[in-house]
Amino acid sequence: MLFRSVFMLIGIISDTHIGRASNKLPRQVFETFENVDLILHAGDLTEISVIEELSEIAPVKAVRGADDDLNLPESEVIEVDGIRIGLNHGIVHPKGDKDQLAYLAHDMGVRILVTGYTHSPKIETAGDVLLICPGSPTEPNLSKPTVILLEIENGNVEVEPVVVAPPTCSVFTFEPPNGE
Protein backbone atom coordinates (compact mmCIF):
# COMPACT_ATOMS: atom_id res chain seq x y z
CA MET A 1 0.00 0.00 0.00
CA LEU A 2 1.41 3.37 -1.04
CA PHE A 3 0.55 6.71 0.55
CA ARG A 4 1.86 9.89 -1.05
CA SER A 5 1.48 12.77 1.31
CA VAL A 6 3.32 15.78 2.63
CA PHE A 7 2.08 15.02 6.16
CA MET A 8 0.71 11.83 7.68
CA LEU A 9 -0.11 10.98 11.28
CA ILE A 10 -0.19 7.27 12.10
CA GLY A 11 -1.51 5.69 15.28
CA ILE A 12 0.41 2.59 16.38
CA ILE A 13 -0.99 0.00 18.77
CA SER A 14 -0.30 -3.62 19.69
CA ASP A 15 -1.06 -6.37 22.17
CA THR A 16 -4.60 -5.28 23.00
CA HIS A 17 -5.61 -8.84 24.01
CA ILE A 18 -9.30 -7.95 24.14
CA GLY A 19 -11.21 -10.66 25.97
CA ARG A 20 -8.19 -11.58 28.08
CA ALA A 21 -6.55 -8.48 29.49
CA SER A 22 -9.56 -6.23 29.11
CA ASN A 23 -13.01 -6.24 27.56
CA LYS A 24 -12.43 -2.96 25.75
CA LEU A 25 -9.76 -0.50 24.71
CA PRO A 26 -9.15 2.43 27.06
CA ARG A 27 -11.11 5.55 26.05
CA GLN A 28 -7.83 7.48 25.79
CA VAL A 29 -6.77 5.30 22.83
CA PHE A 30 -9.66 6.71 20.79
CA GLU A 31 -8.92 10.26 21.94
CA THR A 32 -5.23 9.89 21.07
CA PHE A 33 -6.02 8.50 17.63
CA GLU A 34 -8.88 10.89 16.75
CA ASN A 35 -6.83 12.85 14.17
CA VAL A 36 -4.72 10.04 12.69
CA ASP A 37 -4.78 9.19 8.99
CA LEU A 38 -3.99 5.50 9.49
CA ILE A 39 -3.78 3.00 12.37
CA LEU A 40 -1.24 0.16 12.48
CA HIS A 41 -1.95 -2.74 14.85
CA ALA A 42 1.08 -5.01 15.39
CA GLY A 43 -0.90 -8.06 16.48
CA ASP A 44 -2.44 -9.86 19.43
CA LEU A 45 -5.80 -8.22 18.93
CA THR A 46 -7.50 -11.53 19.90
CA GLU A 47 -10.88 -10.12 18.78
CA ILE A 48 -11.76 -8.78 15.31
CA SER A 49 -13.90 -6.14 17.06
CA VAL A 50 -10.67 -4.21 17.72
CA ILE A 51 -10.26 -3.56 13.97
CA GLU A 52 -13.96 -2.69 13.64
CA GLU A 53 -13.77 -0.13 16.47
CA LEU A 54 -10.51 1.44 15.32
CA SER A 55 -11.79 1.58 11.72
CA GLU A 56 -14.37 4.11 12.85
CA ILE A 57 -11.46 6.52 13.38
CA ALA A 58 -9.19 5.74 10.39
CA PRO A 59 -8.23 2.89 8.05
CA VAL A 60 -6.54 0.03 9.94
CA LYS A 61 -3.72 -2.29 8.91
CA ALA A 62 -3.26 -5.22 11.27
CA VAL A 63 -1.10 -8.33 11.43
CA ARG A 64 -1.48 -11.63 13.26
CA GLY A 65 0.11 -11.96 16.68
CA ALA A 66 1.14 -14.95 18.76
CA ASP A 67 -2.30 -15.21 20.40
CA ASP A 68 -4.44 -14.39 17.36
CA ASP A 69 -6.66 -16.96 15.73
CA LEU A 70 -7.72 -14.40 13.14
CA ASN A 71 -7.39 -14.33 9.37
CA LEU A 72 -4.66 -11.68 9.29
CA PRO A 73 -1.33 -11.56 7.43
CA GLU A 74 1.92 -12.21 9.26
CA SER A 75 3.46 -9.04 7.82
CA GLU A 76 2.48 -5.91 5.93
CA VAL A 77 4.54 -3.24 4.20
CA ILE A 78 3.23 0.23 3.47
CA GLU A 79 4.97 3.23 1.99
CA VAL A 80 4.41 6.77 3.20
CA ASP A 81 6.14 9.68 1.52
CA GLY A 82 8.86 7.37 0.18
CA ILE A 83 9.45 5.68 3.54
CA ARG A 84 8.76 1.94 3.69
CA ILE A 85 7.19 0.83 6.97
CA GLY A 86 6.99 -2.83 7.97
CA LEU A 87 4.38 -4.24 10.32
CA ASN A 88 4.99 -7.59 12.04
CA HIS A 89 4.28 -8.91 15.53
CA GLY A 90 8.03 -9.37 16.07
CA ILE A 91 8.13 -12.87 17.46
CA VAL A 92 11.85 -13.25 18.14
CA HIS A 93 13.71 -14.73 21.07
CA PRO A 94 14.76 -13.22 23.30
CA LYS A 95 11.70 -10.96 23.08
CA GLY A 96 12.47 -7.62 21.47
CA ASP A 97 16.00 -8.57 20.41
CA LYS A 98 17.27 -5.56 18.49
CA ASP A 99 19.57 -7.49 16.13
CA GLN A 100 16.90 -10.00 15.12
CA LEU A 101 14.32 -7.25 14.58
CA ALA A 102 16.82 -5.31 12.44
CA TYR A 103 17.39 -8.47 10.38
CA LEU A 104 13.61 -8.82 9.95
CA ALA A 105 13.39 -5.16 8.85
CA HIS A 106 16.14 -5.68 6.27
CA ASP A 107 14.46 -8.87 5.08
CA MET A 108 11.22 -6.90 4.61
CA GLY A 109 13.09 -4.05 2.90
CA VAL A 110 11.80 -1.38 5.30
CA ARG A 111 13.28 1.68 6.97
CA ILE A 112 10.84 1.53 9.90
CA LEU A 113 9.70 -1.69 11.57
CA VAL A 114 6.64 -1.67 13.84
CA THR A 115 6.33 -4.69 16.13
CA GLY A 116 4.61 -5.80 19.32
CA TYR A 117 5.05 -8.94 21.40
CA THR A 118 7.03 -7.44 24.31
CA HIS A 119 4.13 -5.39 25.76
CA SER A 120 6.71 -2.68 26.56
CA PRO A 121 7.15 0.50 24.51
CA LYS A 122 10.48 0.92 22.79
CA ILE A 123 11.84 3.28 20.16
CA GLU A 124 15.38 2.56 19.03
CA THR A 125 17.59 2.49 15.98
CA ALA A 126 19.54 -0.45 14.63
CA GLY A 127 21.87 0.85 11.96
CA ASP A 128 19.65 2.59 9.41
CA VAL A 129 16.40 1.07 10.72
CA LEU A 130 13.99 2.64 13.20
CA LEU A 131 12.42 -0.01 15.46
CA ILE A 132 9.11 0.90 17.09
CA CYS A 133 7.14 -1.12 19.63
CA PRO A 134 4.09 0.69 21.05
CA GLY A 135 3.79 -1.48 24.16
CA SER A 136 0.27 -2.45 25.19
CA PRO A 137 -2.67 -0.23 26.16
CA THR A 138 -4.32 -3.05 28.14
CA GLU A 139 -1.62 -5.47 29.33
CA PRO A 140 1.71 -3.62 29.69
CA ASN A 141 4.83 -5.44 30.83
CA LEU A 142 6.68 -3.39 33.49
CA SER A 143 5.59 -0.18 31.78
CA LYS A 144 2.60 2.10 31.59
CA PRO A 145 -0.25 1.39 29.12
CA THR A 146 0.84 3.05 25.87
CA VAL A 147 0.31 3.61 22.16
CA ILE A 148 2.50 5.59 19.77
CA LEU A 149 1.93 8.43 17.33
CA LEU A 150 4.17 8.41 14.27
CA GLU A 151 4.33 11.62 12.25
CA ILE A 152 5.83 11.66 8.78
CA GLU A 153 6.28 15.02 7.07
CA ASN A 154 8.39 15.62 3.99
CA GLY A 155 10.49 12.54 4.71
CA ASN A 156 11.06 13.46 8.37
CA VAL A 157 9.90 11.09 11.10
CA GLU A 158 8.77 11.99 14.64
CA VAL A 159 7.72 9.35 17.18
CA GLU A 160 5.74 10.07 20.35
CA PRO A 161 4.72 7.49 22.96
CA VAL A 162 1.43 8.30 24.68
CA VAL A 163 0.25 6.90 28.03
CA VAL A 164 -3.43 5.95 27.60
CA ALA A 165 -4.49 4.60 31.00
CA PRO A 166 -3.43 4.54 34.63
CA PRO A 167 -0.59 2.15 35.45
CA THR A 168 -1.58 -1.47 36.00
CA CYS A 169 1.55 -2.24 38.03
CA SER A 170 1.81 -0.77 41.54
CA VAL A 171 5.53 0.02 41.07
CA PHE A 172 4.41 3.01 38.94
CA THR A 173 2.10 4.39 41.62
CA PHE A 174 4.39 3.93 44.63
CA GLU A 175 4.61 6.88 46.96
CA PRO A 176 7.15 6.82 49.78
CA PRO A 177 5.89 7.33 53.33
CA ASN A 178 5.76 10.94 54.59
CA GLY A 179 9.14 12.29 55.56
CA GLU A 180 11.17 10.21 53.14
Side-chain angles (χ1 to χ4, degrees):
M1 179 174 276
L2 177 66
F3 294 90
R4 294 204 186 279
S5 156
V6 175
F7 173 84
M8 187 167 210
L9 184 61
I10 301 171
I12 300 176
I13 189 169
S14 186
D15 298 292
T16 48
H17 291 280
I18 297 302
R20 181 179 90 179
S22 178
N23 290 325
K24 62 183 182 176
L25 293 173
R27 176 186 47 80
Q28 186 66 30
V29 169
F30 298 97
E31 293 172 7
T32 301
F33 287 173
E34 72 180 344
N35 294 313
V36 301
D37 302 299
L38 177 68
I39 298 171
L40 301 179
H41 195 303
D44 277 352
L45 300 81
T46 64
E47 296 286 337
I48 201 71
S49 62
V50 174
I51 293 175
E52 294 164 355
E53 283 186 272
L54 293 173
S55 291
E56 293 178 17
I57 301 168
V60 177
K61 285 288 188 187
V63 294
R64 184 177 57 250
D67 293 336
D68 286 327
D69 189 22
L70 304 171
N71 187 21
L72 296 170
E74 183 179 324
S75 296
E76 286 275 350
V77 175
I78 65 168
E79 189 171 322
V80 176
D81 200 23
I83 299 172
R84 290 175 52 85
I85 302 170
L87 181 62
N88 181 289
H89 193 54
I91 301 173
V92 298
H93 296 282
K95 281 187 176 185
D97 183 77
K98 181 177 176 177
D99 293 332
Q100 291 185 66
L101 292 174
Y103 180 80
L104 176 61
H106 285 286
D107 192 46
M108 294 175 70
V110 298
R111 183 173 144 204
I112 298 173
L113 179 63
V114 174
T115 61
Y117 196 49
T118 65
H119 294 225
S120 299
K122 188 176 268 190
I123 302 161
E124 62 184 341
T125 56
D128 59 348
V129 175
L130 177 60
L131 303 172
I132 300 173
C133 179
S136 172
T138 56
E139 194 175 72
N141 182 15
L142 296 175
S143 62
K144 295 178 182 178
T146 53
V147 296
I148 284 183
L149 292 174
L150 172 65
E151 181 180 303
I152 299 176
E153 184 171 15
N154 296 320
N156 296 310
V157 175
E158 295 287 331
V159 185
E160 177 188 356
V162 180
V163 175
V164 293
T168 58
C169 178
S170 62
V171 73
F172 295 107
T173 58
F174 175 78
E175 292 185 29
N178 288 338
E180 288 185 33

mmCIF file of all heavy atoms in Angstrom, residues 14-41:
data_model
loop_
_atom_site.group_PDB
_atom_site.id
_atom_site.type_symbol
_atom_site.label_atom_id
_atom_site.label_comp_id
_atom_site.label_asym_id
_atom_site.label_seq_id
_atom_site.Cartn_x
_atom_site.Cartn_y
_atom_site.Cartn_z
ATOM 1 N N SER A 14 -0.576 -2.185 19.723
ATOM 2 C CA SER A 14 -0.299 -3.621 19.691
ATOM 3 C C SER A 14 -0.769 -4.261 20.981
ATOM 4 O O SER A 14 -1.041 -3.573 21.968
ATOM 5 C CB SER A 14 1.196 -3.867 19.502
ATOM 6 O OG SER A 14 1.448 -5.255 19.324
ATOM 7 N N ASP A 15 -0.832 -5.574 20.966
ATOM 8 C CA ASP A 15 -1.057 -6.371 22.172
ATOM 9 C C ASP A 15 -2.250 -5.884 22.989
ATOM 10 O O ASP A 15 -2.153 -5.680 24.194
ATOM 11 C CB ASP A 15 0.225 -6.406 23.015
ATOM 12 C CG ASP A 15 1.357 -7.074 22.254
ATOM 13 O OD1 ASP A 15 1.258 -8.284 22.024
ATOM 14 O OD2 ASP A 15 2.306 -6.368 21.855
ATOM 15 N N THR A 16 -3.386 -5.728 22.317
ATOM 16 C CA THR A 16 -4.600 -5.283 23.001
ATOM 17 C C THR A 16 -5.260 -6.430 23.771
ATOM 18 O O THR A 16 -5.897 -6.189 24.785
ATOM 19 C CB THR A 16 -5.583 -4.663 22.002
ATOM 20 O OG1 THR A 16 -5.740 -5.518 20.868
ATOM 21 C CG2 THR A 16 -5.081 -3.309 21.537
ATOM 22 N N HIS A 17 -5.114 -7.652 23.304
ATOM 23 C CA HIS A 17 -5.610 -8.843 24.009
ATOM 24 C C HIS A 17 -7.035 -8.664 24.540
ATOM 25 O O HIS A 17 -7.313 -9.009 25.694
ATOM 26 C CB HIS A 17 -4.658 -9.231 25.144
ATOM 27 C CG HIS A 17 -3.348 -9.745 24.672
ATOM 28 N ND1 HIS A 17 -3.161 -11.037 24.236
ATOM 29 C CD2 HIS A 17 -2.144 -9.121 24.543
ATOM 30 C CE1 HIS A 17 -1.897 -11.192 23.871
ATOM 31 N NE2 HIS A 17 -1.255 -10.054 24.042
ATOM 32 N N ILE A 18 -7.917 -8.137 23.717
ATOM 33 C CA ILE A 18 -9.303 -7.945 24.136
ATOM 34 C C ILE A 18 -9.939 -9.307 24.408
ATOM 35 O O ILE A 18 -9.808 -10.242 23.629
ATOM 36 C CB ILE A 18 -10.100 -7.146 23.084
ATOM 37 C CG1 ILE A 18 -9.502 -5.739 22.938
ATOM 38 C CG2 ILE A 18 -11.580 -7.088 23.428
ATOM 39 C CD1 ILE A 18 -9.448 -4.914 24.214
ATOM 40 N N GLY A 19 -10.615 -9.405 25.543
ATOM 41 C CA GLY A 19 -11.206 -10.655 25.974
ATOM 42 C C GLY A 19 -10.350 -11.366 27.007
ATOM 43 O O GLY A 19 -10.817 -12.231 27.726
ATOM 44 N N ARG A 20 -9.082 -10.989 27.087
ATOM 45 C CA ARG A 20 -8.195 -11.583 28.084
ATOM 46 C C ARG A 20 -7.751 -10.523 29.081
ATOM 47 O O ARG A 20 -8.028 -10.616 30.264
ATOM 48 C CB ARG A 20 -6.968 -12.211 27.410
ATOM 49 C CG ARG A 20 -6.024 -12.857 28.434
ATOM 50 C CD ARG A 20 -4.831 -13.510 27.792
ATOM 51 N NE ARG A 20 -3.746 -12.546 27.669
ATOM 52 C CZ ARG A 20 -2.566 -12.849 27.151
ATOM 53 N NH1 ARG A 20 -2.346 -14.060 26.655
ATOM 54 N NH2 ARG A 20 -1.620 -11.956 27.095
ATOM 55 N N ALA A 21 -7.067 -9.522 28.608
ATOM 56 C CA ALA A 21 -6.550 -8.483 29.491
ATOM 57 C C ALA A 21 -7.625 -7.463 29.855
ATOM 58 O O ALA A 21 -7.615 -6.900 30.931
ATOM 59 C CB ALA A 21 -5.383 -7.759 28.830
ATOM 60 N N SER A 22 -8.525 -7.235 28.926
ATOM 61 C CA SER A 22 -9.561 -6.228 29.112
ATOM 62 C C SER A 22 -10.701 -6.552 28.159
ATOM 63 O O SER A 22 -10.503 -7.241 27.153
ATOM 64 C CB SER A 22 -8.980 -4.849 28.789
ATOM 65 O OG SER A 22 -9.971 -3.855 28.904
ATOM 66 N N ASN A 23 -11.877 -6.034 28.459
ATOM 67 C CA ASN A 23 -13.010 -6.239 27.560
ATOM 68 C C ASN A 23 -13.131 -5.140 26.524
ATOM 69 O O ASN A 23 -13.913 -5.260 25.586
ATOM 70 C CB ASN A 23 -14.314 -6.356 28.357
ATOM 71 C CG ASN A 23 -14.354 -7.648 29.140
ATOM 72 O OD1 ASN A 23 -13.860 -8.674 28.675
ATOM 73 N ND2 ASN A 23 -14.925 -7.589 30.325
ATOM 74 N N LYS A 24 -12.377 -4.058 26.714
ATOM 75 C CA LYS A 24 -12.433 -2.963 25.747
ATOM 76 C C LYS A 24 -11.144 -2.151 25.808
ATOM 77 O O LYS A 24 -10.400 -2.196 26.786
ATOM 78 C CB LYS A 24 -13.636 -2.070 26.004
ATOM 79 C CG LYS A 24 -13.622 -1.390 27.355
ATOM 80 C CD LYS A 24 -14.876 -0.567 27.572
ATOM 81 C CE LYS A 24 -14.782 0.123 28.923
ATOM 82 N NZ LYS A 24 -15.900 0.989 29.168
ATOM 83 N N LEU A 25 -10.913 -1.394 24.747
ATOM 84 C CA LEU A 25 -9.761 -0.500 24.706
ATOM 85 C C LEU A 25 -10.015 0.699 25.617
ATOM 86 O O LEU A 25 -11.153 1.170 25.720
ATOM 87 C CB LEU A 25 -9.530 -0.003 23.280
ATOM 88 C CG LEU A 25 -9.104 -1.037 22.259
ATOM 89 C CD1 LEU A 25 -9.076 -0.428 20.858
ATOM 90 C CD2 LEU A 25 -7.743 -1.609 22.610
ATOM 91 N N PRO A 26 -8.974 1.218 26.248
ATOM 92 C CA PRO A 26 -9.148 2.427 27.059
ATOM 93 C C PRO A 26 -9.658 3.589 26.191
ATOM 94 O O PRO A 26 -9.255 3.748 25.033
ATOM 95 C CB PRO A 26 -7.740 2.719 27.585
ATOM 96 C CG PRO A 26 -7.012 1.420 27.502
ATOM 97 C CD PRO A 26 -7.604 0.707 26.320
ATOM 98 N N ARG A 27 -10.536 4.389 26.751
ATOM 99 C CA ARG A 27 -11.112 5.548 26.052
ATOM 100 C C ARG A 27 -10.025 6.456 25.485
ATOM 101 O O ARG A 27 -10.139 6.998 24.390
ATOM 102 C CB ARG A 27 -12.003 6.327 27.038
ATOM 103 C CG ARG A 27 -12.593 7.597 26.493
ATOM 104 C CD ARG A 27 -13.337 8.383 27.583
ATOM 105 N NE ARG A 27 -12.597 8.533 28.825
ATOM 106 C CZ ARG A 27 -11.631 9.441 29.030
ATOM 107 N NH1 ARG A 27 -11.267 10.257 28.064
ATOM 108 N NH2 ARG A 27 -11.011 9.516 30.193
ATOM 109 N N GLN A 28 -8.919 6.590 26.213
ATOM 110 C CA GLN A 28 -7.834 7.475 25.795
ATOM 111 C C GLN A 28 -7.203 7.041 24.472
ATOM 112 O O GLN A 28 -6.650 7.865 23.750
ATOM 113 C CB GLN A 28 -6.776 7.561 26.900
ATOM 114 C CG GLN A 28 -5.676 8.557 26.641
ATOM 115 C CD GLN A 28 -6.169 9.996 26.633
ATOM 116 O OE1 GLN A 28 -7.123 10.342 27.307
ATOM 117 N NE2 GLN A 28 -5.510 10.836 25.859
ATOM 118 N N VAL A 29 -7.284 5.750 24.127
ATOM 119 C CA VAL A 29 -6.768 5.299 22.828
ATOM 120 C C VAL A 29 -7.516 6.014 21.709
ATOM 121 O O VAL A 29 -6.914 6.543 20.770
ATOM 122 C CB VAL A 29 -6.899 3.765 22.666
ATOM 123 C CG1 VAL A 29 -6.608 3.341 21.233
ATOM 124 C CG2 VAL A 29 -5.975 3.044 23.643
ATOM 125 N N PHE A 30 -8.835 6.072 21.821
ATOM 126 C CA PHE A 30 -9.658 6.707 20.788
ATOM 127 C C PHE A 30 -9.411 8.205 20.736
ATOM 128 O O PHE A 30 -9.350 8.795 19.659
ATOM 129 C CB PHE A 30 -11.138 6.395 21.029
ATOM 130 C CG PHE A 30 -11.437 4.929 20.955
ATOM 131 C CD1 PHE A 30 -11.499 4.161 22.110
ATOM 132 C CD2 PHE A 30 -11.611 4.302 19.728
ATOM 133 C CE1 PHE A 30 -11.743 2.797 22.045
ATOM 134 C CE2 PHE A 30 -11.852 2.940 19.653
ATOM 135 C CZ PHE A 30 -11.914 2.190 20.810
ATOM 136 N N GLU A 31 -9.223 8.822 21.899
ATOM 137 C CA GLU A 31 -8.924 10.257 21.936
ATOM 138 C C GLU A 31 -7.554 10.541 21.320
ATOM 139 O O GLU A 31 -7.390 11.507 20.575
ATOM 140 C CB GLU A 31 -8.987 10.766 23.371
ATOM 141 C CG GLU A 31 -10.384 10.731 23.951
ATOM 142 C CD GLU A 31 -10.436 11.051 25.434
ATOM 143 O OE1 GLU A 31 -9.400 11.442 26.015
ATOM 144 O OE2 GLU A 31 -11.526 10.887 26.025
ATOM 145 N N THR A 32 -6.583 9.710 21.616
ATOM 146 C CA THR A 32 -5.229 9.892 21.073
ATOM 147 C C THR A 32 -5.216 9.733 19.563
ATOM 148 O O THR A 32 -4.508 10.449 18.854
ATOM 149 C CB THR A 32 -4.255 8.889 21.724
ATOM 150 O OG1 THR A 32 -4.256 9.101 23.136
ATOM 151 C CG2 THR A 32 -2.849 9.049 21.181
ATOM 152 N N PHE A 33 -6.014 8.801 19.058
ATOM 153 C CA PHE A 33 -6.023 8.500 17.626
ATOM 154 C C PHE A 33 -7.046 9.315 16.831
ATOM 155 O O PHE A 33 -7.160 9.137 15.614
ATOM 156 C CB PHE A 33 -6.306 7.012 17.406
ATOM 157 C CG PHE A 33 -5.161 6.094 17.749
ATOM 158 C CD1 PHE A 33 -5.356 4.723 17.727
ATOM 159 C CD2 PHE A 33 -3.906 6.562 18.081
ATOM 160 C CE1 PHE A 33 -4.322 3.841 18.016
ATOM 161 C CE2 PHE A 33 -2.859 5.699 18.387
ATOM 162 C CZ PHE A 33 -3.073 4.338 18.358
ATOM 163 N N GLU A 34 -7.776 10.232 17.450
ATOM 164 C CA GLU A 34 -8.885 10.888 16.754
ATOM 165 C C GLU A 34 -8.478 11.646 15.487
ATOM 166 O O GLU A 34 -9.305 11.796 14.581
ATOM 167 C CB GLU A 34 -9.684 11.787 17.692
ATOM 168 C CG GLU A 34 -8.991 13.056 18.114
ATOM 169 C CD GLU A 34 -9.852 13.891 19.057
ATOM 170 O OE1 GLU A 34 -11.067 13.656 19.155
ATOM 171 O OE2 GLU A 34 -9.297 14.785 19.690
ATOM 172 N N ASN A 35 -7.248 12.100 15.361
ATOM 173 C CA ASN A 35 -6.830 12.851 14.167
ATOM 174 C C ASN A 35 -5.853 12.099 13.276
ATOM 175 O O ASN A 35 -5.241 12.702 12.390
ATOM 176 C CB ASN A 35 -6.220 14.196 14.586
ATOM 177 C CG ASN A 35 -7.253 15.089 15.232
ATOM 178 O OD1 ASN A 35 -8.359 15.239 14.724
ATOM 179 N ND2 ASN A 35 -6.906 15.669 16.365
ATOM 180 N N VAL A 36 -5.679 10.795 13.501
ATOM 181 C CA VAL A 36 -4.724 10.042 12.691
ATOM 182 C C VAL A 36 -5.306 9.740 11.308
ATOM 183 O O VAL A 36 -6.512 9.684 11.123
ATOM 184 C CB VAL A 36 -4.264 8.733 13.385
ATOM 185 C CG1 VAL A 36 -3.620 9.030 14.731
ATOM 186 C CG2 VAL A 36 -5.389 7.728 13.506
ATOM 187 N N ASP A 37 -4.393 9.534 10.359
ATOM 188 C CA ASP A 37 -4.781 9.188 8.993
ATOM 189 C C ASP A 37 -4.822 7.681 8.776
ATOM 190 O O ASP A 37 -5.459 7.198 7.840
ATOM 191 C CB ASP A 37 -3.770 9.797 8.005
ATOM 192 C CG ASP A 37 -3.685 11.302 8.156
ATOM 193 O OD1 ASP A 37 -4.714 11.970 7.943
ATOM 194 O OD2 ASP A 37 -2.601 11.810 8.515
ATOM 195 N N LEU A 38 -4.117 6.939 9.634
ATOM 196 C CA LEU A 38 -3.990 5.501 9.493
ATOM 197 C C LEU A 38 -3.656 4.922 10.866
ATOM 198 O O LEU A 38 -2.988 5.572 11.668
ATOM 199 C CB LEU A 38 -2.849 5.176 8.510
ATOM 200 C CG LEU A 38 -2.499 3.715 8.259
ATOM 201 C CD1 LEU A 38 -3.630 2.997 7.520
ATOM 202 C CD2 LEU A 38 -1.198 3.615 7.453
ATOM 203 N N ILE A 39 -4.119 3.693 11.126
ATOM 204 C CA ILE A 39 -3.783 2.998 12.366
ATOM 205 C C ILE A 39 -3.103 1.682 12.009
ATOM 206 O O ILE A 39 -3.595 0.929 11.165
ATOM 207 C CB ILE A 39 -5.035 2.737 13.229
ATOM 208 C CG1 ILE A 39 -5.679 4.068 13.648
ATOM 209 C CG2 ILE A 39 -4.673 1.893 14.459
ATOM 210 C CD1 ILE A 39 -7.032 3.935 14.306
ATOM 211 N N LEU A 40 -1.963 1.424 12.647
ATOM 212 C CA LEU A 40 -1.245 0.164 12.480
ATOM 213 C C LEU A 40 -1.359 -0.628 13.782
ATOM 214 O O LEU A 40 -1.018 -0.114 14.847
ATOM 215 C CB LEU A 40 0.233 0.414 12.169
ATOM 216 C CG LEU A 40 0.537 1.231 10.919
ATOM 217 C CD1 LEU A 40 2.046 1.417 10.761
ATOM 218 C CD2 LEU A 40 -0.055 0.578 9.676
ATOM 219 N N HIS A 41 -1.849 -1.866 13.677
ATOM 220 C CA HIS A 41 -1.952 -2.740 14.853
ATOM 221 C C HIS A 41 -0.977 -3.889 14.642
ATOM 222 O O HIS A 41 -1.108 -4.665 13.698
ATOM 223 C CB HIS A 41 -3.373 -3.264 15.031
ATOM 224 C CG HIS A 41 -3.619 -3.855 16.384
ATOM 225 N ND1 HIS A 41 -2.862 -4.897 16.896
ATOM 226 C CD2 HIS A 41 -4.526 -3.540 17.339
ATOM 227 C CE1 HIS A 41 -3.315 -5.194 18.110
ATOM 228 N NE2 HIS A 41 -4.310 -4.388 18.403
#
